[in-house]
Amino acid sequence: MPERISPSFDPVRAAARQASSIAQLLDVMWQQDRNDGPPPYLSVSQLRVMYIVDHENGIRMRALTRLLGASPPSVGRRPCPDSRREVTLCVTPAGRRHLAQVCERRDQLLLQALDSMPSHQRTALTEGLAGLQQALIDRPMLRLVP
């Protein structure tokens, strides 16, 4: 049963709690879909890396490890064109096709849920999510390019 949060108490805290609840539900839904979709079966961590690399094609290994909070790898691949000490990454064509399939399946799941909502709630949700997305992007810890 969805948690009903009264925004009159603390609207910012209520919005944060609601967004967190939705993120958890989406995480469960994506995990279930990952197991039902076609191979290759990628872990959440692998998908996260692919999304970042797809968004920032040619990202340096150092920037990626910083974003992921991971230790630098012990073996590099190819040197960066302007720095032989760094490695750049890009998503392969097969990787792009797989990401597109994952996104399409996720979109279909969301479309089914959104279709059952009244249109005024969908409009409010769209506006609210656009604002949340911009606020998250504006946070320095989420900047993809240092």
Side-chain angles (χ1 to χ4, degrees), residues 52-131:
I52 291 170
V53 172
D54 189 47
H55 187 267
E56 294 297 328
N57 197 29
I59 189 172
R60 294 171 190 233
M61 183 68 87
R62 182 177 296 168
L64 178 65
T65 56
R66 237 180 290 155
L67 284 170
L68 297 173
S71 311
S74 59
V75 177
R77 301 279 192 263
R78 287 189 179 164
C80 178
D82 59 348
S83 172
R84 294 180 54 99
R85 296 178 300 177
E86 295 186 285
V87 175
T88 60
L89 304 172
C90 62
V91 175
T92 65
R96 277 196 202 288
R97 285 190 298 276
H98 186 70
L99 278 177
Q101 290 172 344
V102 168
C103 288
E104 179 61 30
R105 286 193 318 272
R106 289 179 175 187
D107 285 352
Q108 289 304 315
L109 293 169
L110 285 173
L111 284 169
Q112 291 170 8
L114 291 168
D115 192 44
S116 68
M117 293 173 61
S119 64
H120 70 281
Q121 287 181 339
R122 280 194 304 269
T123 301
L125 178 65
T126 301
E127 292 172 7
L129 289 175

Side-chain angles (χ1 to χ4, degrees), residues 2-73:
E3 182 180 353
R4 298 281 182 203
I5 301 168
S6 171
S8 61
F9 178 69
D10 182 347
V12 174
R13 186 173 300 275
R17 202 186 262 154
Q18 195 68 49
S20 180
S21 264
I22 294 297
Q24 290 169 2
L25 285 172
L26 289 172
D27 189 38
V28 169
M29 196 165 75
W30 296 165
Q31 184 63 32
Q32 289 171 350
D33 179 65
R34 184 183 77 84
N35 296 332
D36 294 340
Y41 304 110
L42 299 176
S43 70
V44 173
S45 299
Q46 289 170 316
L47 274 174
R48 213 167 99 206
V49 168
M50 285 182 70
Y51 283 131
I52 291 170
V53 172
D54 189 47
H55 187 267
E56 294 297 328
N57 197 29
I59 189 172
R60 294 171 190 233
M61 183 68 87
R62 182 177 296 168
L64 178 65
T65 56
R66 237 180 290 155
L67 284 170
L68 297 173
S71 311

